[in-house]
Amino acid sequence: MSLRFVLDPELSPRLREQLVDLWVEVTNAGGAVGFVPPVTAAQVRPMAEATFAGIADGPDRLLLGYAGERPIAMLIFRDNRFHLKPHWCTLIRVMVHPEAQGHGYGAEIMREAERLAPTLGFEALHLTVRGGLGLEEFYKRLGYREIGRLPGALRVAPGDDRDEVLMWRAVDMSSE
């Protein structure tokens, strides 16, 4: 089954709760989406609400992947908020519900982001990943290349510092 994608859905109270729940489930399954497990909805909600404000008030954009009526995948096109960088953005909070992993949905939502990028004015996509989880290989298979590494930039626990890996992908503008 393929996902149904929605760009910029209305951030209703119900959808906000669904996305907080998704964020908690992904984190608690070991996903590197801004927290270290275990987390609760109360811990995730402040960061989620700040993220939702950047979407609702602009300039960030939300892409959701639905299986039926349930959002099971998401990512955010985060605007650089700098006038010399309007031609690229950073993808943040890329996640797929743990129960839906292994079906290619992560690659599917990333391909949809790449397809949409030119229509949103982006010539390239940037993302960062937490080192030590093998995520770089997933993104390399999707055409991203490592462009840098911040050694020990992420402290996930005392004595457990991870590299923050910077990745970049130029977008095919001919599909615009």
Side-chain angles (χ1 to χ4, degrees):
M1 170 171 60
S2 288
L3 296 179
R4 175 178 58 87
F5 293 105
V6 177
L7 179 64
D8 299 328
E10 178 190 345
L11 281 169
S12 67
R14 180 173 184 265
L15 180 57
R16 287 170 185 253
E17 284 307 308
Q18 288 176 312
L19 297 180
V20 167
D21 290 344
L22 173 62
W23 206 330
V24 168
E25 292 291 329
V26 168
T27 300
N28 287 337
V33 287
F35 294 92
V36 176
V39 295
T40 64
Q43 292 168 307
V44 170
R45 191 168 285 107
M47 183 185 286
E49 287 301 329
T51 302
F52 299 154
I55 295 164
D57 301 334
D60 299 336
R61 312 286 297 266
L62 174 63
L63 177 61
L64 292 182
Y66 284 85
E69 296 304 309
R70 179 180 171 205
I72 62 161
M74 71 176 266
L75 65 73
I76 297 162
F77 295 91
R78 187 173 188 282
D79 184 87
N80 286 302
R81 293 164 172 78
F82 185 61
H83 72 281
L84 298 178
K85 299 179 181 180
H87 57 291
W88 64 274
C89 75
T90 301
L91 300 179
I92 64 169
R93 309 302 172 237
V94 179
M95 59 182 90
V96 174
H97 194 283
E99 293 172 2
Q101 291 179 3
H103 300 284
Y105 295 148
E108 197 174 330
I109 196 167
M110 292 300 294
R111 283 191 296 272
E112 181 68 5
E114 180 186 343
R115 187 189 72 75
L116 289 170
T119 66
L120 300 175
F122 303 127
E123 299 169 19
L125 299 172
H126 167 66
L127 55 86
T128 63
V129 299
R130 184 183 302 168
L133 300 174
L135 296 169
E136 303 95 322
E137 293 309 312
F138 169 76
Y139 290 107
K140 284 179 183 177
R141 287 192 302 272
L142 295 172
Y144 285 79
R145 61 186 172 94
E146 183 176 326
I147 57 168
R149 195 173 273 263
L150 302 174
L154 303 170
R155 179 158 293 155
V156 297
D160 187 1
D161 294 350
R162 307 284 179 89
D163 292 356
E164 183 171 33
V165 182
L166 293 81
M167 303 194 80
W168 182 268
R169 187 186 200 302
V171 173
D172 180 4
M173 298 302 285
S174 66
S175 63
E176 187 174 12

